[in-house]
Every structure is written in C-alpha cells, then in structure tokens.
C-alpha cells in the first residue's frame, strides 16, 4: 500500500497549472485543502501565475513537458497542458499536436497505473466552424483537418478519442469537458486572444483590431464560473456499482453570445478609452458562431450555470490588466 492511501487529503496533479486556467484551479484546490502537484513546461504559462502558492507546503511545482512520461503518485489528474490561443498554438503546430496527443497518452497511462480519475480540458474547437447552433455535445463538428487551426482542433479531438478508448477499454474514470471561450485575470497579455487583446489595446489607447467585420460571435465565460464547473464535474461520484462516473463530454461555457464588434464596443465603454476600431483580415477557418448549449452541464453538475455576466467579468479583467500594465 502506498503512503498516499494513509492521507485523507487528495493529491492532485494539474498539468498546465502555471497557465491561465490551471493557476485558478490550483488556487481553488489548495483552498479546499488538497495537495497539488503542478507539472508545466512554462511554454505559455508563467511562474508569476503561481508565485503566491510556491511557499505553500501542500504545493509542488515540477518543470515537466507532458510529451514525456511522468512517474508520480497522485489520486486525481486534471490535464490542462496545451497552448490555447491561436497565436501560441500556431507558433509550433507539431509541438501543439504532440502536446495534445502524446500528452494525453502519457497522462492516461499514468491514470491507468494509479487507477486515478482524470479530467481532460477539451474545447469548443472540436465543433470547428459549427453548422449546428447552439452547440450540443452530440454534434460531431465541422473541422478542417488540414488548416492552420487543425493542430489544435484535431489534437484535441484525438485526445478525446484516446480518453474514451481508455474509458471503454480499461474502465478508466474519465471526465471530458469542452470549454468555450473563457477570460479573466492572468490571461497572457500578448497571447492574441480577443478579450486580452481588446483590453490591453483599450488601456494603451491603441487601435482595437477587429478581424473581419466583427460579425462573428463568441460566448464568453468568466474564469471563476468555469473552474466551479471543472470541480463539480470531477467530484461527481463513481457509479454505485463502483464503475466510473459520468465521462462527458460536457460543454462548459457561458451561453451569453456576443459579436466581436459588440465586445469591442463594451471594452471601449468600460475602459473609457479613446481607442478607435480598425478592421483587419479574418484569419482562415475562424469560426463564424459559437454558443454552448449547457443543458447537460446543468443536469449532471447540480444545476451548474455561470453566475458572472460579461460586464462584471470584463470589469474584473480590466482591473487586472490595468494593474499589470502600470507595473511595466
Ligand atoms: P494557457 O496557455 O494559459 O495554459 C496552458 C498551460 O500549459 C501553460 O502553462 C503552458 O506552459 C502549459 N503547457 C503547454 N504545453 C505544455 C507541455 N508540452 N507540457 C507541459 N505544459 C505545457 O491556456 P489556458 O487558457 O489556461 O488553457 C488551459 C487548457 O484549457 C488548455 O488545454 C486549453 O486548450 C483549454 N481550453 C482553454 C480555453 C480558454 O478559453 N481559456 C478554451 C478551451 C479550452
Ligand atoms: N479577434 C479579433 N481581434 C483580435 C483577436 C481576435 O477580432 O485582436 C477575433 C478572432 O478572429 C475570433 C474571435 O475574436 O473571431 C475570438 O478569437 P480568440 O483568438 O480569442 O478565440 P477563438 O477564435 O479561438 O475562439
């Protein structure tokens, strides 16, 4: 019997824990008393995101690339490691695919050896440029397999396949969440995602760069709401016969849908910026619409639904970037 079985606390591995979502998840896990191991190669994450927990005796940071196997002892795994913004995941597309696919194989292998529950941070990108709106989990998607977004989309789709094959073949207790656009403090200021880009541009008084005509839509979830969904999903107990719990996939996101132009106007209004809107070419394969149907999440996650609406979440995020930029 290993040492960890004597410890009533859970020991939880968070891959990608030095990133935006991972660092918020770690805060919540530590706050409820868990032990956390963060494995991250710091490609897009930063020690600054976790510096406030480095001295916590229940926290451990490992510089590790998930494309290589990892041998540690934990009770649960949250697999978040993967660059998430188009600028970052297109920087080295082959490495992005390896991170999703080899990373999933390595973390699933670890989960299988430990018989540990494992969560996968999948994405609304598995729906591609969706022909079904809003997106439900039974929609198979409309993804270009050879385009500039494919390294991310297909990597995440393949990871889902691996998770469900480990579930069927080995009875592994998996939890697959499809995350829709999420924003909040600790987003990387230069990662090119729309919320961080617009806020940073507005605060610096620079032009707000709208790609295309800004009529494409996204649905934006504030980070705290999302992390609540992660933890509820991971805490759904095993089936009464001892079999795995509900594997998903479950959409997690805020159904409030906005055009990119509306988002730009909101950011200008909330920052009081004098920035002007400028229109630039739309990148290829940029989805035209995206909105989660969250019926399944409400059903399985104790009526989970986002509590923080866009204006309120933007205000908190603007305050974060305002402080960050004032220290530059
Ligand atoms: P992020 O870039 O801030 O975090 C990703 C983390 O993974 C970073 O700390 C990075 O250094 C680490 N990482 C990357 N490659 C790695 C590797 N090979 N080995 C170890 N660590 C590695 O992005 P995020 O927004 O926090 O996203 C976290 C996860 O959630 C990702 O898997 C992403 O695909 C998924 N997701 C996020 C969103 C969103 O809107 N934020 C939407 C859908 C899915
Ligand atoms: N976008 C934009 N201006 C920017 C950054 C992004 O108009 O400065 C658009 C982008 O083309 C896309 C949407 O905003 O239609 C969301 O982009 P993001 O990269 O944040 O997320 P994703 O496309 O992966 O949903």
């Amino acid at each position: 019997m290993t040492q960890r079985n004597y410890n009533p606390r859970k020991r939880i591995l968070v891959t990608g824990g030095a990133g935006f979502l991972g660092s918020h998840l770690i805060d919540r896990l530590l706050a409820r008393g868990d032990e956390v191991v963060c494995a991250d190669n710091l490609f897009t994450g930063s020690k600054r995101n976790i510096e406030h927990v480095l001295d916590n005796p229940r926290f451990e940071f490992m510089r590790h690339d998930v494309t290589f196997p990892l041998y540690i002892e934990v009770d649960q795994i949250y697999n978040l490691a993967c660059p998430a913004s188009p600028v970052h995941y297109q920087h080295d597309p082959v490495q992005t695919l390896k991170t999703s696919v080899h990373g999933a194989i390595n973390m699933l292998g670890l989960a299988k050896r430990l018989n540990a529950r494992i969560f996968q941070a999948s994405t609304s990108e598995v729906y591609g440029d969706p022909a079904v709106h809003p997106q439900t989990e039974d929609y198979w998607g409309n993804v270009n397999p050879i385009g500039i977004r494919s390294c991310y989309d297909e990597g995440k789709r393949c990871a889902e396949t691996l998770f469900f094959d480990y579930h069927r073949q080995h009875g592994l207790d998996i939890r697959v969440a499809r995350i829709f656009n999420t924003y909040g403090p600790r987003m990387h200021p230069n990662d090119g995602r729309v919320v961080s880009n617009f806020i940073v541009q507005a605060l610096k008084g620079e032009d707000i760069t709208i790609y295309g005509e800004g009529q494409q839509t996204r649905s934006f979830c504030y980070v705290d709401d999302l992390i609540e969904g992660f933890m509820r999903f991971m805490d759904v107990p095993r089936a009464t016969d001892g079999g795995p719990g509900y594997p998903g996939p479950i959409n997690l996101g805020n159904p409030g849908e906005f055009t990119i132009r509306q988002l730009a106007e909101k950011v200008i209004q909330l920052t009081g910026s004098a920035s002007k809107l400028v229109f630039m070419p739309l990148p290829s394969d940029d989805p035209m619409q995206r909105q989660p149907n969250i019926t399944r999440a409400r059903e399985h996650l104790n009526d989970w639904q986002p509590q923080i609406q866009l204006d309120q979440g933007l205000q908190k995020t603007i305050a974060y970037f305002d402080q960050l930029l004032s220290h530059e």
Side-chain angles (χ1 to χ4, degrees):
M1 195 182 284
T2 54
Q3 180 70 34
R4 70 195 167 89
N5 290 339
Y6 292 108
N7 191 341
R9 273 186 201 141
K10 279 203 188 66
R11 191 167 149 80
I12 301 184
L13 170 64
V14 179
T15 75
F20 162 48
L21 298 180
S23 63
H24 285 276
L25 173 63
I26 286 171
D27 286 349
R28 288 282 306 273
L29 294 172
L30 289 172
R32 88 173 175 190
D34 293 323
E35 286 180 23
V36 176
V37 182
C38 165
D40 199 301
N41 69 352
L42 300 182
F43 171 48
T44 55
S46 151
K47 274 209 176 160
R48 193 162 56 186
N49 289 336
I50 48 169
E51 71 183 348
H52 58 288
V53 296
L54 288 175
D55 288 338
N56 187 321
R58 286 184 285 109
F59 178 76
E60 196 181 325
F61 174 73
M62 296 175 69
R63 193 163 183 147
H64 176 79
D65 184 327
V66 294
T67 62
F68 295 95
L70 181 62
Y71 297 95
I72 56 172
E73 307 298 314
V74 291
D75 302 294
Q76 288 189 346
I77 302 168
Y78 284 86
N79 186 37
L80 272 60
C82 187
S85 84
V87 170
H88 283 152
Y89 69 64
Q90 288 164 16
H91 169 75
D92 185 347
V94 174
Q95 178 63 17
T96 301
L97 264 166
K98 283 186 185 169
T99 295
S100 273
V101 177
H102 294 189
I105 291 171
N106 289 327
M107 291 309 116
L108 286 162
L110 178 65
K112 180 171 168 250
R113 176 172 70 78
L114 300 170
N115 194 22
R117 185 173 297 172
I118 179 166
F119 173 98
Q120 168 66 356
S122 191
T123 169
S124 53
E125 284 287 315
V126 301
Y127 302 122
D129 190 6
V132 166
H133 193 75
Q135 291 77 57
T136 46
E137 291 87 347
D138 52 15
Y139 175 50
W140 291 351
N142 177 31
V143 175
N144 176 357
I146 56 168
I148 57 171
R149 294 174 85 100
S150 313
C151 61
Y152 184 72
D153 300 9
E154 297 290 18
K156 290 285 188 179
R157 285 169 68 96
C158 182
E160 285 201 9
T161 307
L162 283 160
F163 269 71
F164 276 85
D165 281 335
Y166 267 79
H167 175 65
R168 280 186 290 260
Q169 197 174 334
H170 301 296
L172 203 64
D173 191 2
I174 61 161
R175 311 289 158 113
V176 175
R178 291 183 178 156
I179 305 163
F180 284 65
N181 298 61
T182 301
Y183 68 99
R186 301 190 198 144
M187 289 183 90
H188 195 297
N190 301 322
D191 75 2
R193 283 189 264 195
V194 68
V195 174
S196 43
N197 258 15
F198 285 3
I199 292 178
V200 169
Q201 288 164 344
L203 290 173
K204 289 184 169 173
E206 295 170 356
D207 290 343
I208 307 265
T209 53
I210 294 187
Y211 302 158
E213 290 169 17
Q215 291 311 307
Q216 70 273 37
T217 68
R218 293 293 186 275
S219 303
F220 300 101
C221 185
Y222 188 67
V223 60
D224 292 356
D225 284 328
L226 185 82
I227 302 301
E228 175 65 26
F230 281 16
M231 291 171 70
R232 285 196 197 186
F233 192 7
M234 202 55 162
D235 288 343
V236 175
R238 279 178 172 265
T240 43
D241 61 2
Y246 184 66
I250 292 183
N251 288 339
L252 291 178
N254 190 325
E257 184 184 10
F258 298 86
T259 67
I260 294 305
R261 185 172 181 136
Q262 283 174 323
L263 176 74
E265 284 162 356
K266 251 185 203 304
V267 169
I268 288 181
Q269 178 217 327
L270 292 171
T271 51
S273 171
S275 292
K276 302 271 171 294
L277 305 185
V278 296
F279 294 86
M280 298 173 75
L282 188 67
S284 62
D285 298 338
D286 199 293
M288 273 315 291
Q289 54 181 359
R290 194 183 278 159
Q291 184 191 31
N293 175 313
I294 60 165
T295 309
R296 195 180 276 189
R298 293 186 64 163
E299 204 175 294
H300 288 273
L301 309 182
N302 195 19
D303 209 23
W304 174 86
Q305 57 182 319
Q307 304 297 318
I308 299 171
Q309 295 316 317
L310 188 57
D311 281 54
Q312 195 190 351
L314 283 178
Q315 275 162 355
K316 291 169 188 260
T317 313
I318 289 166
Y320 168 79
F321 279 112
D322 202 17
Q323 221 205 351
L324 190 79
L325 296 178
S326 70
H327 286 94
E328 268 186 356

